[in-house]
Amino acid sequence: MQIILGPGSSDPELIDADDFKDFRVVAHGAPDALSLAASTAQIGRAEGAEHVFVTVPALCRMAGIRAEQSAWRADLERMLDVAQRHGWVDAHGAVRAH
């Protein structure tokens, strides 16, 4: 599952929404921490220039109709459980992507 951040203010795009084993954010260009923070404001928050904490509601919003499917939600919950065990979920429930 990848979240693609385009240049400027374009909306983030979720691709490979059924791949729960490779959760990442891809920012086009070479963003510094400040521009990454601005680009990720719609989906969560940046932590430096290496990681992004993505909120679950933003992830579901980007997934669209898939987020209404019980199988997809179950896979998402499994991904979040694994992330929680590894310390990749913040105090607000957002999950860390790399």
Side-chain angles (χ1 to χ4, degrees), residues 6-86:
S9 63
S10 62
D11 289 334
E13 177 186 3
L14 182 67
I15 61 170
D16 297 329
D18 296 319
D19 181 0
F20 291 90
K21 295 182 181 189
D22 184 23
F23 185 52
R24 68 179 65 220
V25 171
V26 177
H28 290 287
D32 58 23
L34 185 59
S35 62
L36 185 60
S39 296
T40 59
Q42 296 180 62
I43 61 170
R45 67 176 174 81
E47 183 177 79
E50 296 293 320
H51 298 105
V52 175
F53 280 88
V54 180
T55 68
V56 174
L59 191 55
C60 291
R61 187 174 56 250
M62 287 184 291
I65 195 78
R66 271 191 178 93
E68 297 176 18
Q69 299 170 347
S70 59
W72 191 88
R73 291 296 292 219
D75 288 342
L76 175 63
E77 288 302 320
R78 280 191 285 281
M79 182 186 87
L80 295 173
D81 287 344
V82 169
Q84 181 73 44
R85 287 194 302 268
H86 284 90

